[in-house]
């Protein structure tokens, strides 16, 4: 893959599949939030965010959204990751690194 | 923060916290400097808040209040302008001779595809690259862009561009 043009090509290929998306999937979406304020970033939150996204792709899991947020008020415990599974209690992970990120996704698959 | 990509991520988080829906990030690299400009359409700040925002340890959102201090710390030039209700623009420039490097900017951009649109204009030794995440999002949801590997490709594409035009140590 050399350029954004290639990405656009992939996107075009995927376009056909989008119509098949069921809107009710949105309600079932698992939401993973990474604290990326100054403290989170300096503790390695960017690496964690990327590792989470990579693992979701590797495991080919659908219906998971990874987003960033600002300071979560636990500066000493950063990087902090919150996992929101619809219908379940929110789970907060602290001092996350790339390996722990893989574990977090593994736990989702098991659940 | 000597890795300028992390400083950009920090400034961009301020934009997101300010409710921005559009971020424009310009990054320029030449022999001497690494510079960036982040502008947003967030809630903006009046003069009083802006002055206080630059103080170390001062925060209006329950955070540490050290972000901009760190961004400014090693910068050769730093400018911030803001207008209440319009948005904020931050500009910073770092000397490479001070040890500043761009770093893993691809990884930073991967985290800047969300419910806001980010337009990136990257210039490395005069070679330019433009990415509009709004274009990517027009076809696929953010979750799908992530799970289908489109954002990984974007990350690799950006970093390849940086390494090819700016070398391994940029």
């Amino acid at each position: 893959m050399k350029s954004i043009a290639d990405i656009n090509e992939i996107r075009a290929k995927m376009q056909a599949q989008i119509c098949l998306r069921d809107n009710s999937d949105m309600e079932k979406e698992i939401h993973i939030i990474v604290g990326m304020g100054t403290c989170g970033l300096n503790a390695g939150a960017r690496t964690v965010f990327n590792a989470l996204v990579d693992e979701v792709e590797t495991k080919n899991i659908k219906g998971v959204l990874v987003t960033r947020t600002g300071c979560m008020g636990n500066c000493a415990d950063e990087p902090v990751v919150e996992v929101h599974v619809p219908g379940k209690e929110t789970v907060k992970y602290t001092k996350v690194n790339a390996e722990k990120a893989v574990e977090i996704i593994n736990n989702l698959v098991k659940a | 923060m000597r890795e300028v990509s992390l400083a950009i991520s920090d400034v961009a988080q301020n934009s997101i916290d300010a409710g921005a829906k559009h971020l424009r990030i310009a990054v320029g690299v030449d022999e001497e400097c690494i510079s960036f400009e982040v502008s947003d359409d967030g809630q903006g700040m009046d003069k009083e808040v802006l002055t206080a925002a630059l103080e170390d340890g001062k925060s209006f959102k329950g955070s540490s209040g050290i972000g901009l201090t760190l961004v400014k710390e090693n910068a050769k030039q730093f400018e911030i302008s803001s207008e209440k209700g319009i948005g904020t623009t931050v500009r910073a420039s770092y000397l490479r001779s001070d040890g500043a490097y761009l770093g893993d900017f691809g990884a930073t951009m991967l985290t800047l595809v969300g419910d806001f649109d980010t337009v990136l204009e990257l210039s490395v030794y005069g070679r330019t690259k433009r990415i509009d995440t709004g274009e990517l999002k027009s076809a696929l949801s953010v979750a799908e862009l992530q799970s289908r590997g489109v954002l990984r490709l974007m990350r690799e594409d950006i970093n390849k561009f940086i390494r090819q035009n700016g070398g391994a140590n940029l």
Side-chain angles (χ1 to χ4, degrees):
Chain A
M1 294 304 148
K2 293 186 195 73
S3 67
I4 197 73
D6 296 314
I7 296 173
N8 284 335
E9 204 174 296
I10 297 167
R11 185 184 58 165
K13 280 182 200 158
M14 288 173 175
Q15 201 123 30
Q17 300 167 47
I18 300 161
C19 306
L20 300 172
R21 253 177 77 208
D22 183 354
N23 277 339
S24 65
D25 279 349
M26 293 298 284
E27 289 157 28
K28 294 176 200 150
E29 205 165 66
I30 293 169
H31 194 183
I32 303 179
I33 303 171
V34 184
M36 292 185 71
T38 306
C39 33
L41 281 169
N42 284 283
R46 183 183 62 181
T47 303
V48 169
F49 190 113
N50 276 262
L52 288 166
V53 171
D54 287 352
E55 197 57 18
V56 166
E57 184 199 350
T58 304
K59 293 219 159 64
N60 195 25
I61 309 167
K62 301 284 172 253
V64 176
L65 174 66
V66 186
T67 61
R68 60 186 287 163
T69 191
C71 181
M72 293 164 104
N74 314 71
C75 299
D77 294 327
E78 296 281 1
V80 175
V81 173
E82 268 184 16
V83 179
H84 299 262
V85 180
K88 290 191 177 178
E89 229 170 285
T90 299
V91 182
K92 191 182 256 186
Y93 296 87
T94 57
K95 295 188 177 160
V96 181
N97 55 25
E99 290 80 42
K100 273 198 182 177
V102 172
E103 270 179 51
I104 290 171
I105 302 300
N106 281 339
N107 289 345
L108 283 183
V109 179
K110 275 186 236 156
Chain B
M1 257 183 254
R2 294 197 188 274
E3 187 185 346
V4 177
S5 291
L6 278 182
I8 294 169
S9 193
D10 198 319
V11 172
Q13 186 61 48
N14 286 343
S15 298
I16 298 164
D17 289 343
K21 287 292 152 219
H22 298 89
L23 274 71
R24 187 186 154 274
I25 301 176
V27 182
V29 177
D30 61 24
E31 288 87 347
E32 280 177 30
C33 290
I34 301 175
S35 309
F36 73 80
E37 179 180 304
V38 176
S39 51
D40 68 54
D41 60 352
Q43 64 182 23
M45 294 171 277
D46 57 31
K47 216 172 177 182
E48 201 182 333
V49 174
L50 179 59
T51 307
L54 290 168
E55 278 177 44
D56 196 15
K58 194 111 180 188
S59 174
F60 294 91
K61 54 189 186 192
S63 63
S64 61
I66 56 169
L68 284 178
T69 309
L70 283 175
V71 169
K72 269 168 70 180
E73 194 175 55
N74 299 306
K76 181 187 148 228
Q77 282 178 319
F78 178 88
E79 277 173 56
I80 183 166
S81 59
S82 191
E83 203 174 327
K84 185 99 182 144
I86 304 288
T88 301
T89 298
V90 173
R91 283 187 207 93
S93 187
Y94 302 82
L95 280 178
R96 298 179 70 180
S97 55
D98 284 345
Y101 62 103
L102 185 55
D104 195 348
F105 188 66
T108 287
M109 266 307 285
L110 184 138
T111 70
L112 289 172
V113 183
D115 59 0
F116 44 88
D117 292 338
T118 306
V119 173
L120 165 69
E121 280 157 12
L122 179 58
S123 169
V124 181
Y125 291 102
R127 298 285 302 273
T128 60
K129 183 171 198 63
R130 186 180 187 279
I131 291 178
D132 182 347
T133 68
E135 283 174 19
L136 296 175
K137 282 161 57 189
S138 66
L140 288 173
S141 72
V142 176
E144 285 169 311
L145 288 170
Q146 291 177 344
S147 67
R148 291 168 188 260
V150 178
L151 297 191
R152 176 179 53 79
L153 290 175
M154 181 192 73
R155 179 182 69 209
E156 288 165 6
D157 184 45
I158 290 169
N159 283 343
K160 195 173 166 192
F161 174 84
I162 291 168
R163 301 298 151 234
Q164 275 177 349
N165 296 295
N169 296 324
L170 176 57

